[in-house]
């Protein structure tokens, strides 16, 4: 299967988080455009997650430790580990989830 990112319609998954989503049998990709100030409340999930900051500054709390991430930074989030985040500026992020993030379909 083949996709063009420019042709994928974004979905607002949570306030201020617009994702262009690609799902396979075992993986989900979420290409986010995030409004400044938009927050992800603390949560955890069964999926392993890799977050890549493409543009902007993103404050991210992982297992109680908060850091600010910049373009080129990558964070690996183990399954069931508590995390939250906030866009300090408008951001573009890429999240990769395994297994597939069914609730994003």
């Amino acid at each position: 299967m083949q996709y063009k990112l420019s042709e994928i319609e974004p979905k607002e998954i949570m306030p201020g988080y617009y994702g262009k989503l690609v799902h396979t049998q075992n993986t989900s990709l979420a290409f986010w455009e995030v409004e400044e100030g938009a927050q992800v409340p603390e949560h955890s999930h069964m999926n392993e997650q890799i977050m890549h900051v493409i543009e902007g500054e993103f404050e991210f709390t992982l297992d109680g430790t908060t850091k600010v991430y910049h373009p080129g930074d990558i964070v690996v989030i183990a399954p069931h580990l508590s995390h939250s985040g906030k866009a300090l500026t408008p951001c573009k992020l890429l999240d990769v989830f395994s297994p597939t993030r069914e609730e994003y379909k």
Side-chain angles (χ1 to χ4, degrees), residues 26-93:
N26 299 306
T27 306
S28 291
L29 299 172
F31 297 88
W32 300 108
E33 293 210 11
V34 186
E35 295 174 355
E36 182 175 348
Q39 296 185 35
V40 176
E42 185 174 27
H43 67 286
S44 65
H45 41 72
M46 51 108 32
N47 315 78
E48 181 175 52
Q49 178 180 349
I50 301 170
M51 178 185 75
H52 174 217
V53 179
I54 298 168
E55 291 180 13
E57 293 184 354
F58 194 74
E59 181 181 272
F60 192 71
T61 302
L62 178 61
D63 200 27
T65 300
T66 301
K67 295 182 181 179
V68 176
Y69 293 95
H70 302 89
D73 290 340
I74 296 171
V75 181
V76 177
I77 302 117
H80 306 291
L81 207 55
S82 291
H83 56 285
S84 61
K86 179 180 179 182
L88 301 179
T89 66
C91 291
K92 289 186 180 179
L93 309 172

